[in-house]
Amino acid sequence: MLKKMEKTKAQLVGKHQALDTFIDARQRLLVEYIRLSTGSKTLPSAKELSDFCAQLVDYVSAAHFEIYDYVMGAYEAARGNGRTLAERIYPRIKKGTVQALDFHDKYTNANDTTLLELDKDLSQLGEMLEERFNLEDRLVFAVSLLNYLNTSEPA
């Protein structure tokens, strides 16, 4: 996942300030996720888990209120396949947002019993994040293509 993210970052860096900020936040979230899920045989501290949960919510919030507004605005102006793509992908991303918020709610102030489920829940969260990153990339690259095709420059 980290290698794919580096590739995406290399392709998109400098295209839009909000996109740069978003990709950096996504990368920090992934690094922290990897640290939590593969780090050690002991459970993370309450502060580590709470910090990760806050970072997770910040990421999904930034995605919805910064990037998706931009993406959906571009698709509003589009016709045909681009708009269809957005209409198919966005609900799947929203489903991932619900899963991320559920994880946050469950682990922000987790007790010992809840922590017994952390490995399983981190695994499910990782699968969701991987799918979400792929979907987000598809949306962003499609917008980039739309912007390229909508220029008045001749081919």
Side-chain angles (χ1 to χ4, degrees):
M1 233 185 331
L2 206 49
K3 284 184 181 184
K4 182 163 179 11
M5 189 172 296
E6 285 295 327
K7 182 180 174 185
T8 299
K9 186 175 183 176
Q11 291 173 317
L12 296 175
V13 70
K15 301 241 185 228
H16 193 281
Q17 175 61 39
L19 199 53
D20 290 348
T21 302
F22 173 70
I23 290 172
D24 287 342
R26 189 165 85 168
Q27 186 170 9
R28 285 191 306 274
L29 177 68
L30 181 58
V31 168
E32 187 62 20
Y33 168 80
I34 291 169
R35 191 184 71 70
L36 278 180
S37 62
T38 61
S40 69
K41 294 179 182 179
T42 61
L43 291 171
S45 70
K47 179 170 178 11
E48 289 174 319
L49 200 49
S50 179
D51 289 349
F52 174 74
C53 287
Q55 193 175 17
L56 180 63
V57 168
D58 289 346
Y59 163 72
V60 296
S61 297
H64 279 283
F65 297 115
E66 293 177 26
I67 300 304
Y68 298 158
D69 286 345
Y70 167 74
V71 168
M72 294 311 283
Y75 283 127
E76 289 294 321
R79 295 181 186 89
N81 292 338
R83 185 164 173 94
T84 302
L85 177 68
E87 290 169 351
R88 283 188 303 164
I89 290 177
Y90 192 67
R92 292 170 58 194
I93 290 175
K94 281 180 74 172
K95 183 179 172 187
T97 298
V98 170
Q99 186 177 347
L101 294 176
D102 288 347
F103 183 94
H104 170 271
D105 292 347
K106 184 174 184 176
Y107 288 103
T108 295
N109 295 309
N111 59 38
D112 290 342
T113 304
T114 304
L115 288 175
L116 295 174
E117 300 173 5
L118 182 60
D119 282 342
K120 173 184 66 82
D121 290 341
L122 276 171
S123 177
Q124 291 172 345
L125 183 68
E127 290 172 12
M128 180 278 295
L129 288 173
E130 183 172 18
E131 178 183 14
R132 184 186 180 103
F133 295 163
N134 288 329
L135 293 169
E136 289 168 347
D137 288 351
R138 286 177 64 192
L139 283 176
V140 170
F141 285 122
V143 166
S144 297
L145 179 60
L146 283 173
N147 288 339
Y148 174 77
L149 293 175
N150 287 336
T151 64
S152 59
E153 297 177 20

